[in-house]
Amino acid sequence: ASRNPLIDEQISSPLQVFGQAKKQINNIFVDIQDYVTDASERMIDVNKICPDVIVENELKSILDYRSKVKGICEVLTRDHMKVAFFGRTSNGKSTVVNAMLGEKVLPSGIGHTTNCFLQVEGSQTGDAYLVTEGSNEKQNVESVTHLAHALNYEKQLNEKELVHVYWPKDKCSLLRDDVALVDSPGVDVTPHLDDWIDAHCIDADVFVLVANAESTLMVTEKNFFHKVSTKLSKPNIFILNNRWDASANEPEFLDQFNSQEQVRKQHMERATDFLVKELKVCTPEEAVSRIFFISAKEVLQARVKERNGQALNSGALAEGFSARYMEFEEFERRFEECISKSAIKTKFLNHSQQGKQLVKEMYKIMETIYNRSQEQTHSKMCQKKEFQEKLNFTEQQLICITNQMKMKIHQMVDDVEDKVSKALND
Ligand code: GTP
Ligand code: MG
């Protein structure tokens, strides 16, 4: 359960924190959007009646904010968490993606070498379809074979190209919670690593290096991550030593001088050195929860069986299966925590700072307009008062003059009467 009082729903996975944060920030921006729309409409009205209250620039700024907020709202609804998988050919990248999805979505294995970038994300419509780069056409995907065919034969794909695979959200909780998983061709098959990084890695929240536990980390794999960390500050990198089941079954590991534990220790030390000393992306303590020994193939098989309601036949399981399965689950837990935290920071921090700045600037403009209108009201009142005083004075004067005239007329009348009566008497 969450301790954040703003989050009202129960949270069962760290990924849902991202969803909650997205919902909240979306609501805030919808409020801001209402406010900007309201403010701009009122300003247009006021401007029609009293053109001196609002300066042209102020109206223009508010209209600009209106389109800015609209833009942010649109980006926000599209925001998701992105994880990218890299490693040498055949290390099991596509199998790891499938294991995490819980079913065979991407083609893998011999004859199914991944030959372009594949981004699996939740489909809004509930249908499975793919969209190639630069096209709006939705190609329906009925099965993995169909997908493999579409990728291999229907169009000559460039290795750098990105194909979006939209998969029904109800089939996988990762997709439901807005995670996009990007599978890639082997890092050893391309001379264009820089282009790959620019095109596909800049906005990734987490990187997973799928290594082969049967060999040590290769220069090409290390080189790729060195390049990534020159372009991104402190990328979040997980290292999966895949095919750990195969090494468990190798007879040479079973003698006392070269036990699987020793191999694990050696891999662990090398991988830790790579993350801590070479790339400097984490501390030795953090490295423990970044390096895992797994078998993607076993996890995928187990999950497919479970999905189909088939029991896991314990007799057919290789030695150490449960430990490897649990280690894969532990990787998933750490991965979920990491990606959710990182995506909230990178995606929403920027938006919330922009939002704060925007509201601050708008407040300043509205305050200036308010103060100006107050000043104008005050000066009109003063003018009115001055005018009133003048009117009062004139009125007084008029009363005085009228009174004086009245008296004078009375006197004159009296005078005339006197004179007339005198004359009559005479
Ligand atoms: P490319 O797309 O060609 O670069 O390969 P990839 O890295 O995507 O490897 P993929 O997932 O296609 O796996 C290659 C082969 O290794 C397949 O036959 C998988 O079944 C097998 N494989 C993958 N993971 C494991 C594992 O953990 N153990 C074992 N024994 N085999 C595995
Ligand atoms: Mg592949």
Side-chain angles (χ1 to χ4, degrees), residues 87-96 98 107-110 112-115 183-189 210 214 242-246 294-298:
R88 274 167 51 87
T89 302
S90 290
N91 280 1
K93 300 174 295 297
S94 304
T95 312
V96 170
N98 286 338
S108 66
I110 300 158
H112 292 307
T113 291
T114 312
N115 54 3
D183 190 12
S184 64
V187 283
D188 47 331
V189 301
V210 181
E214 292 166 299
N242 193 32
R243 309 174 75 90
W244 195 228
D245 59 317
I294 54 123
S295 165
K297 188 177 170 183
E298 282 178 338

Side-chain angles (χ1 to χ4, degrees), residues 134-260:
S135 146
N136 286 328
E137 191 201 341
K138 291 180 180 178
Q139 302 178 39
N140 276 335
V141 176
E142 277 136 35
S143 64
V144 68
T145 337
H146 190 162
L147 176 65
H149 195 268
L151 294 173
N152 277 328
Y153 306 111
E154 285 177 12
K155 186 172 175 259
Q156 210 49 49
L157 291 160
N158 181 324
E159 53 146 62
K160 201 176 95 177
E161 205 164 314
L162 177 70
V163 172
H164 287 269
V165 179
Y166 293 91
W167 202 250
K169 281 187 176 184
D170 57 357
K171 289 195 174 180
C172 172
S173 65
L174 282 180
L175 303 180
R176 222 168 13 244
D177 287 332
D178 262 349
V179 178
L181 302 97
V182 180
D183 190 12
S184 64
V187 283
D188 47 331
V189 301
T190 181
H192 308 296
L193 288 182
D194 284 297
D195 294 349
W196 279 19
I197 294 169
D198 292 340
H200 305 292
C201 299
I202 300 301
D203 63 340
D205 301 295
V206 167
F207 295 88
V208 177
L209 163 56
V210 181
N212 184 350
E214 292 166 299
S215 65
T216 48
L217 280 181
M218 299 284 176
V219 177
T220 38
E221 289 167 325
K222 287 187 164 192
N223 188 15
F224 174 77
F225 283 96
H226 273 292
K227 279 179 186 285
V228 169
S229 61
T230 59
K231 300 206 181 192
L232 292 173
S233 81
K234 286 212 172 186
N236 297 305
I237 303 171
F238 284 81
I239 300 180
L240 295 182
N241 293 287
N242 193 32
R243 309 174 75 90
W244 195 228
D245 59 317
S247 66
N249 297 321
E250 285 291 326
E252 80 232 32
F253 285 123
L254 303 177
D255 70 59
Q256 64 181 95
F257 303 108
N258 205 5
S259 69
Q260 204 190 18

Side-chain angles (χ1 to χ4, degrees), residues 18-130:
F18 176 86
Q20 287 280 358
K22 182 169 163 175
K23 213 155 115 188
Q24 282 178 21
I25 196 165
N26 249 309
N27 289 344
I28 292 170
F29 270 93
V30 167
D31 284 350
I32 297 179
Q33 197 171 21
D34 288 348
Y35 175 67
V36 191
T37 310
D38 199 28
S40 57
E41 279 166 7
R42 273 162 201 267
M43 281 171 79
I44 291 168
D45 288 347
V46 169
N47 208 32
K48 275 186 206 153
I49 306 164
C50 321
D52 322 333
V53 180
I54 298 164
V55 178
E56 198 184 319
N57 264 351
E58 292 165 342
L59 187 58
K60 193 178 163 295
S61 299
I62 296 285
L63 292 175
D64 282 351
Y65 291 145
R66 195 170 152 169
S67 53
K68 230 187 214 169
V69 174
K70 194 166 168 258
I72 296 175
C73 283
E74 278 166 12
V75 172
L76 265 173
T77 51
R78 281 200 311 269
D79 268 344
H80 54 223
M81 295 170 268
K82 178 170 155 182
V83 48
F85 297 81
F86 292 99
R88 274 167 51 87
T89 302
S90 290
N91 280 1
K93 300 174 295 297
S94 304
T95 312
V96 170
V97 174
N98 286 338
M100 290 177 80
L101 292 170
E103 66 179 313
K104 204 163 181 219
V105 176
L106 300 179
S108 66
I110 300 158
H112 292 307
T113 291
T114 312
N115 54 3
C116 66
F117 279 79
L118 290 169
Q119 175 162 323
V120 187
E121 55 196 292
S123 145
Q124 300 293 349
T125 59
D127 300 324
Y129 59 90
L130 66 86

Side-chain angles (χ1 to χ4, degrees), residues 5-19:
L6 291 172
I7 296 174
D8 43 17
E9 289 164 34
Q10 288 280 308
I11 284 182
S12 58
S13 135
L15 296 178
Q16 289 169 1
V17 180
F18 176 86

